[in-house]
Amino acid sequence: MCDWSELDRDLLVLVVKRINLIEDYLSFGTVCKSWHSVATKDNFNSDLPRVPWLMLAEEEDDDTCRKFFSLENGMILKKENNGYCGPDTSSPAISIHKAVLSANPSHTSDYILMIIEGDFSFFSVWRPGDLSWTRLPAYNGQISDVVYFNGKFYAVDHRGCIKVWDVAGSKLGESHTVVQLNPCIDDLYYILESLGSLFVVVQQFVGLWYDRDEIPLSLILGGDDEEGTISNTYRTKTFLVCKIDLDACKATPTKDLGDRALFLGPNASISVQASQFPGIKPNHIYFTDNCLSAYLRFEGGCGLDMGVFNLADESIQPHYDGVSLNRICPPIWVTPNPC
């Protein structure tokens, strides 16, 4: 019989670098000492595509660990909190809502970092060689999302206006409008790349009224009856997907993402090839609760508005059967990596 613990170390490294599921990677390291010795962070191939995990809300009675839900196998994994890292007091404090890193695959040092900060009305950009961040001119509307695509940064605001910045050139602050979508109050907008094309996704909501016995949430800032016993909540009604033609400056609605699945939330706009991952459905949108203005309005917090949207028939099914609520950070998508 073959003694698997005696396999050549170089062969084990080749094998472990082909594992894209973090769960399998961690299991690989538990087989024996020799396998554990190669299942290191350095050997983890972070360039392989992988599906985000759902990081569940922190539990009030247990702040020692965070739980992560894997859509691929339905497992819930725990990770211990290793302590709090305080802010860098050497620089002014800013509120960062999203960070986007551009990278040139042929030049590993050729990258640009852009962040959305403050009240969603500003970009800040850092380029190699810069001694400080450069804040771009104020945006007309609040920025909803940003993506790096074909050497430029594209952003969509809360009014459905798509703009582009060529931050690699000398005219850093200049931008122009690509296309204006038909805005609707309370819509949320996402922008992302998928299969070499640019897409904008619009999330539309509907408000519902529930009795407190059905949904155990109550308005902190007053109620709608004399005793404040009626709770106001919301849910996602539908998603609209538009493919952006940059040459024609045109947005074309589509209901066909092919073999792609989208993951959307307050910190994520990601496209993955569904057939590469078990349990992931093509032409579906996996979303988390992104109604930021509602987070502090409910005593129990938010996180109920999550699910999987079928772009073909517009149905919505749950992707996580449990309840995970928080007033600061409801469940969000995170890309798993070994520590």
Side-chain angles (χ1 to χ4, degrees):
M1 288 183 61
C2 175
D3 186 351
W4 295 98
S5 65
E6 299 297 330
L7 289 178
D8 182 77
R9 180 180 177 83
D10 291 338
L11 177 60
L12 290 174
V13 171
L14 290 175
V15 172
V16 80
K17 285 187 174 182
R18 291 177 177 270
I19 300 176
N20 66 344
L21 281 182
I22 188 69
E23 305 97 300
D24 292 344
Y25 194 87
L26 297 175
S27 297
F28 184 96
T30 64
V31 173
C32 59
K33 288 185 178 180
S34 61
W35 289 33
H36 179 76
S37 67
V38 300
T40 63
K41 184 177 181 179
D42 292 337
N43 285 334
F44 184 76
N45 190 348
S46 59
D47 293 330
L48 291 176
R50 52 185 43 86
V51 169
W53 280 355
L54 182 66
M55 184 174 76
L56 302 179
E58 186 175 75
E59 298 178 357
E60 293 184 2
D61 57 347
D62 185 8
D63 59 359
T64 62
C65 70
R66 294 301 291 265
K67 293 181 179 179
F68 300 84
F69 176 69
S70 171
L71 292 170
E72 296 175 83
N73 53 32
M75 293 175 56
I76 293 181
L77 301 96
K78 291 184 178 182
K79 183 184 183 303
E80 291 185 358
N81 292 329
N82 295 322
Y84 170 74
C85 296
D88 180 3
T89 56
S90 62
S91 59
I94 59 174
S95 176
I96 299 176
H97 299 287
K98 185 171 184 179
V100 178
L101 178 68
S102 71
N104 185 337
S106 60
H107 299 86
T108 56
S109 62
D110 183 11
Y111 56 86
I112 302 171
L113 181 64
M114 174 180 279
I115 62 173
I116 303 174
E117 61 168 298
D119 60 353
F120 294 90
S121 298
F122 295 96
F123 283 130
S124 287
V125 177
W126 181 91
R127 301 179 296 182
D130 288 351
L131 298 179
S132 61
W133 289 89
T134 300
R135 174 174 283 186
L136 300 188
Y139 204 77
N140 289 333
Q142 288 188 320
I143 304 160
S144 182
D145 202 3
V146 62
V147 67
Y148 182 75
F149 179 71
N150 286 350
K152 299 177 181 179
F153 282 97
Y154 293 83
V156 60
D157 70 11
H158 288 267
R159 300 173 183 173
C161 179
I162 304 168
K163 287 193 173 185
V164 58
W165 282 262
D166 184 2
V167 295
S170 58
K171 298 179 180 180
L172 180 60
E174 291 190 2
S175 67
H176 69 267
T177 299
V178 176
V179 64
Q180 173 67 61
L181 303 178
N182 294 325
C184 182
I185 189 170
D186 295 331
D187 283 356
L188 288 181
Y189 295 86
Y190 307 86
I191 189 168
L192 70 158
E193 179 273 335
S194 183
L195 290 178
S197 297
L198 195 64
F199 289 84
V200 168
V201 183
V202 186
Q203 184 177 12
Q204 296 184 333
F205 299 90
V206 60
L208 297 178
W209 295 93
Y210 289 99
D211 184 87
R212 61 177 178 175
D213 292 330
E214 294 176 303
I215 301 294
L217 302 173
S218 61
L219 283 172
I220 293 176
L221 302 177
D224 292 276
D225 62 353
E226 293 182 356
E227 298 180 357
T229 58
I230 298 179
S231 301
N232 177 269
T233 187
Y234 56 91
R235 66 174 174 85
T236 295
K237 178 182 179 181
T238 190
F239 285 91
L240 308 176
V241 179
C242 294
K243 186 176 181 179
I244 307 301
D245 186 334
L246 296 176
D247 294 327
C249 295
K250 181 181 178 181
T252 303
T254 180
K255 284 185 172 293
D256 186 9
L257 295 173
D259 190 31
R260 309 301 289 189
L262 306 184
F263 288 78
L264 304 178
N267 69 320
S269 309
I270 302 170
S271 170
V272 302
Q273 186 174 349
S275 60
Q276 290 187 349
F277 307 99
I280 302 304
K281 301 175 183 179
N283 205 38
H284 281 65
I285 297 175
Y286 294 76
F287 64 97
T288 60
D289 198 324
N290 193 16
C291 194
L292 300 179
S293 61
Y295 285 3
L296 293 178
R297 291 175 63 89
F298 298 104
E299 290 179 355
C302 290
L304 291 176
D305 187 35
M306 302 193 299
V308 188
F309 178 80
N310 186 329
L311 196 56
D313 64 15
E314 299 188 4
S315 63
I316 298 178
Q317 300 294 328
H319 54 60
Y320 175 68
D321 291 330
V323 176
S324 183
L325 306 176
N326 193 281
R327 297 181 64 201
I328 304 299
C329 182
I332 59 173
W333 300 118
V334 295
T335 302
N337 280 292
C339 296

